[in-house]
Amino acid sequence: MKKRSKEFLEVAFYLSKFGSINDGKKNLYPPIRLGVGKWNEAYQIFYEKLNEGRTVLTFQRSLKNARDYFDSHLSSSTRIGWLSDNKKPNPLSKEAQKVYDNLINKSEEDIWKRIKKHSDLDASIYKNEFDNLISFQESESKYNTSKNEGGKKVFTSIRYERQPSLSNEAKKIHGVNCSVCGFNFEEFYGSWGKGFIEVHHTQPLSENKGLEVFTDPEKDLAVVCANCHRMIHKKRDVTLSLEELKEKIRNK
């Protein structure tokens, strides 16, 4: 299991302490400041900055579990949280205890100032991107590196494509027609396919492998249909460029 960072735990503590009761039934909702009504939507607000390679579903489960651990230690919480066999709160990890001790007496405003930089309050706008991403992540294997037919080494990870805001921006720039074959999902499937297209990362593998670099949705991302996307990555050690795949289309 991936270790939870201090920043991740600070977000979990914030969600636990400042969840709101607003329906008269003692149901706990996300903090009002986040502007969402469902917990998964609240978790997704922090996904892009704090996922550290986790899939959306894994990230949501991990943040929920961390929030639950804090619930049992907060007397103000209406949630029971995680309890041990003797019905007492499970001990917090060393890292979580440090976060708890540091934040327990701070105001909502003070904690929000600490974690705001990890948030994207527009995340709910990308709901369709998150839904598509979850589907992709459930079927995709981990990233790898390979070469195109010309021998150029390329980065084939969907690491950056996992940012729904980038996928959303790529679609605004490039549209939803496949950049290779021109296929349009709405034209073929009607309303069921409206707005759907996969996003492919075309950025060459740089010398600073392992470090996050700026991704330009206009230059580094392309929109492709599922068929063309699979053809680009058909061979494990070969990743075709868009132009290379275009050259292989027989029925033009």
Side-chain angles (χ1 to χ4, degrees):
M1 183 178 71
K2 186 176 289 294
K3 183 178 180 180
R4 293 162 178 159
S5 66
K6 180 186 73 172
E7 294 78 13
F8 185 99
L9 292 170
E10 287 180 342
V11 168
F13 180 88
Y14 176 82
L15 295 174
S16 176
K17 186 173 183 181
F18 299 106
S20 60
I21 301 173
N22 57 14
D23 67 353
K25 299 178 182 179
K26 293 187 177 182
N27 289 329
L28 191 68
Y29 290 86
I32 295 174
R33 184 189 291 270
L34 301 183
V36 296
K38 297 180 179 179
W39 280 107
N40 281 346
E41 293 174 341
Y43 304 145
Q44 289 171 1
I45 286 174
F46 301 95
Y47 177 73
E48 286 198 9
K49 300 292 178 62
L50 296 178
N51 72 73
E52 297 180 310
R54 297 178 180 90
T55 66
V56 175
L57 294 182
T58 299
F59 179 83
Q60 290 176 173
R61 285 193 292 265
S62 185
L63 191 50
K64 177 187 181 300
N65 288 340
R67 188 203 78 189
D68 286 344
Y69 271 110
F70 284 122
D71 282 344
S72 62
H73 289 264
L74 293 169
S75 59
S76 60
S77 176
T78 61
R79 292 174 55 87
I80 297 175
W82 292 102
L83 299 178
S84 61
D85 292 339
N86 62 6
K87 304 302 180 182
K88 292 183 178 181
N90 272 311
L92 295 172
S93 67
K94 183 178 179 180
E95 295 79 6
Q97 188 65 56
K98 286 182 179 179
V99 168
Y100 179 91
D101 293 341
N102 189 38
L103 301 183
I104 188 60
N105 293 318
K106 293 188 181 298
S107 68
E108 190 266 352
E109 181 67 26
D110 285 341
I111 299 178
W112 175 248
K113 287 179 180 179
R114 292 175 67 96
I115 68 172
K116 182 179 179 181
K117 60 186 176 183
H118 308 306
S119 70
D120 179 2
L121 295 179
D122 291 329
S124 59
I125 297 174
Y126 321 132
K127 182 183 183 305
N128 288 339
E129 303 302 327
F130 273 107
D131 291 344
N132 293 337
L133 188 52
I134 290 171
S135 295
F136 294 154
Q137 289 175 338
E138 290 301 289
S139 62
E140 291 284 350
S141 60
K142 290 184 177 180
Y143 68 84
N144 64 322
T145 58
S146 61
K147 297 180 180 180
N148 60 25
E149 287 192 324
K152 190 174 183 179
K153 199 172 186 181
V154 294
F155 188 39
T156 63
S157 170
I158 60 170
R159 173 73 175 94
Y160 293 97
E161 297 168 37
R162 286 178 178 169
Q163 297 187 30
S165 60
L166 280 180
S167 295
N168 189 64
E169 191 64 24
K171 291 179 182 181
K172 288 182 179 179
I173 295 170
H174 302 296
V176 292
N177 290 342
C178 177
S179 298
V180 177
C181 70
F183 184 84
N184 181 289
F185 282 88
E186 183 178 11
E187 291 178 0
F188 196 85
Y189 296 106
S191 60
W192 183 258
K194 184 177 181 179
F196 183 83
I197 195 73
E198 295 189 9
V199 177
H200 168 64
H201 200 284
T202 62
Q203 183 183 18
L205 181 65
S206 64
E207 292 300 321
N208 59 343
K209 180 175 69 170
L211 299 178
E212 290 206 18
V213 295
F214 172 76
T215 299
D216 184 338
E218 183 173 6
K219 298 178 181 178
D220 300 329
L221 300 179
V223 294
V224 291
C225 69
N227 278 352
C228 287
H229 208 178
R230 294 304 180 268
M231 289 295 98
I232 288 172
H233 299 290
K234 179 175 181 287
K235 294 186 177 181
R236 185 179 181 84
D237 58 345
V238 176
T239 301
L240 299 180
S241 68
L242 300 185
E243 292 304 318
E244 286 173 336
L245 186 58
K246 285 180 181 179
E247 290 299 316
K248 294 183 180 299
I249 297 177
R250 301 181 63 181
N251 298 322
K252 298 183 179 179

